Amino acid sequence: MKPIALLALLLGAALTSFSQRTIDVSRSDINVSGLLLTVGGEPFVNTKFVYLVSGTPYLKEDWAPATLYVHNGKAYPHIAVKLDLIDNAVHYQNSKGEEFLSVTLIDAILFEADSITLLHASAIPETKALPTGWYQPLLQDSVSLYKFYEKKVTESKPYNSATTEQRIATFDRYHIIQKGTPITIRKIKDVPGALPDKKAELEQYLKSNDDKSRPLDERMTALLRYYNSLIK
């Protein structure tokens, strides 16, 4: 059996969670089975963000090849996926290009083109205290570091317009996990204060060794790797 067919068998039957969504039932190609909710051809996000003028609820706007790791430990590679970070929903395509919405628990998604892995909060071993969502592991050690892509929706009505426009902005948030406790970090300069036992050493590292020309992910990872070296 093809991986995409196997995946379909494992995508859950709990459809009651969609009761508050607005779906165009006039479309003849919408059907509900015991396993899947199908939204034929039309992007599912349009049922919620009808007047979206900027931004996207997805991690990646276009379909991207990915490997899905479901809760029973099985992996299903080379699946076209979109990850909705507002509803924390996984959309995927079957071999015919039809769109489906996963209603089973997926532990992790590996985006194959750029080797980025995201873990569901429930699958992060260090803690159960993180809010529901998807987190990119940057460092897993005595003190771990995860990146969270926060999406915020704003609405505004232009002057003399009856239409409310929607915009989605994306913000990078970082979470340090120390002894099972997550600490939210918005700026790298906040890290020393969040880890006061080595505050002086971390502040000195930022003055002497932090390479501001590098991406923030790399700088945060290097700083937390240094911290872990100090406590071992």
Side-chain angles (χ1 to χ4, degrees):
M1 186 177 293
K2 294 181 180 180
I4 194 78
L6 284 172
L7 178 61
L9 293 175
L10 293 168
L11 295 178
L15 298 179
T16 55
S17 61
F18 303 113
S19 59
Q20 294 182 347
R21 296 183 185 276
T22 304
I23 298 175
D24 183 2
V25 294
S26 66
R27 293 183 61 91
S28 60
D29 52 357
I30 291 179
N31 65 84
V32 178
S33 71
L35 294 175
L36 300 167
L37 176 63
T38 306
V39 183
E42 185 175 354
F44 197 88
V45 66
N46 282 358
T47 65
K48 183 172 183 179
F49 299 109
V50 179
Y51 300 110
L52 184 63
V53 297
S54 66
T56 174
Y58 297 116
L59 176 69
K60 300 172 182 288
E61 179 63 29
D62 297 324
W63 292 100
T67 299
L68 301 182
Y69 297 86
V70 298
H71 198 54
N72 62 10
K74 291 186 178 181
Y76 299 92
H78 316 315
I79 308 246
V81 166
K82 280 186 177 183
L83 178 60
D84 182 338
L85 294 177
I86 290 181
D87 287 342
N88 296 314
V90 180
H91 298 244
Y92 73 95
Q93 287 182 329
N94 65 9
S95 58
K96 297 179 181 179
E98 297 169 328
E99 183 174 355
F100 295 89
L101 181 67
S102 169
V103 290
T104 196
L105 181 59
I106 295 175
D107 282 347
I109 303 173
L110 168 62
F111 289 94
E112 297 166 353
D114 47 19
S115 298
I116 290 178
T117 297
L118 270 73
L119 301 179
H120 191 268
S122 63
I124 294 177
E126 294 98 333
T127 183
K128 298 299 181 185
L130 283 170
T132 299
W134 294 87
Y135 296 80
Q136 181 182 350
L138 298 179
L139 179 66
Q140 291 175 300
D141 205 326
S142 299
V143 174
S144 297
L145 176 66
Y146 291 86
K147 183 177 182 178
F148 180 73
Y149 299 88
E150 182 180 0
K151 298 278 187 175
K152 289 188 176 181
V153 182
T154 58
E155 295 184 343
S156 62
K157 185 177 293 186
Y159 181 71
N160 278 343
S161 173
T163 301
T164 299
E165 296 180 345
Q166 300 163 317
R167 292 173 174 80
I168 299 176
T170 305
F171 304 90
D172 294 344
R173 300 287 184 248
Y174 296 89
H175 294 270
I176 295 171
I177 299 179
Q178 183 182 39
K179 297 179 180 179
T181 301
I183 305 168
T184 301
I185 300 294
R186 286 175 169 79
K187 299 178 181 179
I188 193 169
K189 67 179 183 179
D190 297 335
V191 174
L195 300 169
D197 58 322
K198 301 296 179 183
K199 181 178 180 180
E201 292 90 333
L202 293 174
E203 287 178 338
Q204 184 58 46
Y205 178 95
L206 289 176
K207 291 179 181 178
S208 305
N209 301 96
D210 181 35
D211 184 354
K212 294 181 176 58
S213 66
R214 297 167 62 191
L216 184 56
D217 286 6
E218 295 181 10
R219 294 168 59 200
M220 292 284 289
T221 302
L223 182 59
L224 267 295
R225 188 173 288 118
Y226 174 65
Y227 174 83
N228 280 309
S229 73
L230 295 175
I231 63 175
K232 290 181 179 178

